[in-house]
Amino acid sequence: MQRRDFLKKAGIGVAASAAFGPVFAQGSPSVRWRLASSFPKSLDTIYGAAEVLAERVSALTGGRFQIRPYQAGEIVPGLQVMDAVQQGTVEVGHTASYYFVGKAQVLAFDTAVPFGLTARQQNAWMYFGGGIELFRPIFADFNIIQFPGGNTGVQMGGWFRKEIKSLSDLKGLKMRIPGPGGQVMSRLGVVPQVLAGGDIYPALERGTIDATEWVGPYDDEKLGFHKVAKFYYYPGWHEPGPMLSFYVNLNEWRKLPKEYQQAFEVAAAEANQWMMAKYDQLNPPALQRLIRAGVRLRKWPNEIMQAAQKAAFAWYEEEAAKDATYRKVYTAWKKFREEQYRWFAVAELGYEQFAFPSV
């Protein structure tokens, strides 16, 4: 299903657009915003959520509220999107909050942390578990209001030039892995690197890095990692449900008519759902293509999984002990995680362990 077909068939649909359009056209202001994405246009699904947002906002406001997306590097580099929104260089950004943990470690929980929440659980926490309410004052300090803006689902564990059989094989490896995943990997002996999507392949090809993680089969195939690294690890314990976010400059948000704010919130929620559904459709055939191309699929050894989980929670506790804001978010997140894990272990895991291996 293409993006425009999805927009026609989605919840609000064309009928709502027709209903709202004439009202906006008669007396509402014309608003033109620019959106800076952290992602290249070639990654059509992760970048595409910004296009879904823009198209739906326009449809819901009869064309009076226009948002034009720009790919990473057109206005600012991918890792400078937060600064661009905060400073008002652009009105909107589409990015991953864990890129900016250098500003505040707590921002990682807006995206994903190792051994954390799946995509469904992250949505539940954000929309109904108090996540958005916890983050609104944190982002307000950066002159930003944030909205869930997509999810890739549980990611793959990464591409490696050599096979990883034990913890000792990780020592000294240079790996592109940002945010909390990088923090945990560093405790296992890896040297983490932070690179934007478009910079990863050249670094891997030149040997500047030895390994990388990105998203999953569809995007990884597009970026060509299988051409220079044959070992593909799973699962992505470092990002079990990474949520993207739309950042809006708070000053510009407050200027919007209430109807435009509602249109934006509806469009962001739709884009959030669209991305996950699209990845679920695209990843299975992409993985099969990669395997046929000679990729060697490998599951992380239990030794590494156990060490990573222990290191992750030790690190969370350390951060919580020294930062009151982090502690507030972490405490709420941890309680929610425990409740979700108990439920999913009964219903989801019980079904999946029986049904999935039969294929």
Side-chain angles (χ1 to χ4, degrees):
M1 187 187 297
Q2 298 301 310
R3 187 175 66 253
R4 291 181 185 277
D5 293 334
F6 179 89
L7 291 174
K8 290 177 183 178
K9 296 175 183 177
I12 290 183
V14 175
S17 301
F20 282 113
V23 176
F24 282 117
Q26 289 172 7
S28 300
S30 177
V31 176
R32 299 291 182 270
W33 278 7
R34 298 191 302 171
L35 182 154
S37 173
S38 283
F39 313 104
K41 193 176 292 186
S42 59
L43 299 178
D44 56 329
T45 305
I46 200 165
Y47 176 83
E51 296 178 317
V52 170
L53 174 85
E55 290 176 16
R56 176 57 78 207
V57 164
S58 176
L60 287 173
T61 60
R64 302 297 291 174
F65 183 6
Q66 296 285 329
I67 299 173
R68 180 178 175 183
Y70 292 84
Q71 68 177 331
E74 283 192 285
I75 298 179
V76 294
L79 299 181
Q80 294 180 20
V81 166
M82 188 177 194
D83 290 336
V85 176
Q86 180 180 2
Q87 296 163 8
T89 304
V90 295
E91 293 83 3
V92 196
H94 187 224
T95 190
S97 295
Y98 69 4
Y99 290 158
F100 311 108
V101 292
K103 298 177 182 292
Q105 285 290 346
V106 71
L107 293 176
F109 289 97
D110 189 56
T111 304
V113 295
F115 302 96
L117 304 175
T118 65
R120 279 177 57 188
Q121 293 165 351
Q122 183 78 2
N123 266 334
W125 184 52
M126 281 291 172
Y127 288 129
F128 298 106
I132 287 178
E133 290 79 7
L134 282 168
F135 274 106
R136 284 285 159 86
I138 295 171
F139 277 100
D141 287 342
F142 296 97
N143 194 33
I144 287 170
I145 182 171
Q146 97 291 358
F147 302 86
N151 204 305
T152 69
V154 60
Q155 296 194 353
M156 292 294 282
W159 296 88
F160 293 77
R161 291 180 176 275
K162 67 176 186 178
E163 193 167 5
I164 306 298
K165 297 181 179 180
S166 67
L167 273 171
S168 60
D169 291 333
L170 293 175
K171 305 298 183 184
L173 276 181
K174 297 187 294 293
M175 181 180 183
R176 182 273 177 191
I177 179 167
Q183 289 279 357
V184 173
M185 274 295 199
S186 70
R187 293 181 175 223
L188 303 184
V190 171
V191 182
Q193 313 286 316
V194 179
L195 298 172
D199 299 328
I200 301 172
Y201 182 90
L204 194 60
E205 184 180 37
R206 291 193 302 266
T208 306
I209 56 176
D210 305 305
T212 187
E213 60 78 44
W214 178 242
V215 173
Y218 181 70
D219 281 354
D220 293 2
E221 181 187 35
K222 276 181 169 288
L223 292 176
F225 299 144
H226 59 291
K227 298 174 184 176
V228 287
K230 290 298 183 184
F231 293 99
Y232 198 22
Y233 277 81
Y234 74 95
W237 51 261
H238 62 294
E239 295 185 39
M243 177 172 280
L244 286 298
S245 292
F246 291 113
Y247 289 177
V248 180
N249 178 278
L250 197 51
N251 296 330
E252 296 299 326
W253 177 255
R254 289 167 175 158
K255 294 177 186 177
L256 284 179
K258 294 296 183 183
E259 295 87 351
Y260 285 17
Q261 290 181 349
Q262 291 181 7
F264 187 97
E265 290 190 58
V266 166
E270 183 174 320
N272 185 45
Q273 179 73 10
W274 177 89
M275 184 190 292
M276 184 70 263
K278 191 68 173 173
Y279 271 123
D280 278 343
Q281 182 260 320
L282 292 169
N283 277 325
L287 180 59
Q288 293 306 309
R289 289 193 299 270
L290 289 170
I291 292 171
R292 288 195 296 269
V295 168
R296 301 171 190 177
L297 198 59
R298 296 289 188 269
K299 188 176 182 180
W300 281 118
N302 283 340
E303 176 193 21
I304 291 177
M305 295 283 286
Q306 291 165 357
Q309 181 170 250
K310 182 178 179 181
F313 278 87
W315 178 54
Y316 304 152
E317 295 292 340
E318 291 169 15
E319 291 295 324
K322 63 186 181 184
D323 185 319
T325 300
Y326 188 103
R327 182 166 59 254
K328 180 179 180 180
V329 173
Y330 172 63
T331 301
W333 171 89
K334 187 179 180 183
K335 181 176 183 294
F336 188 84
R337 175 187 179 273
E338 290 170 355
E339 294 169 348
Q340 291 288 300
Y341 273 33
R342 291 190 193 100
W343 161 239
F344 274 69
V346 172
E348 298 291 324
L349 187 61
Y351 171 74
E352 291 164 3
Q353 285 180 331
F354 174 80
F356 288 10
S358 65
V359 178

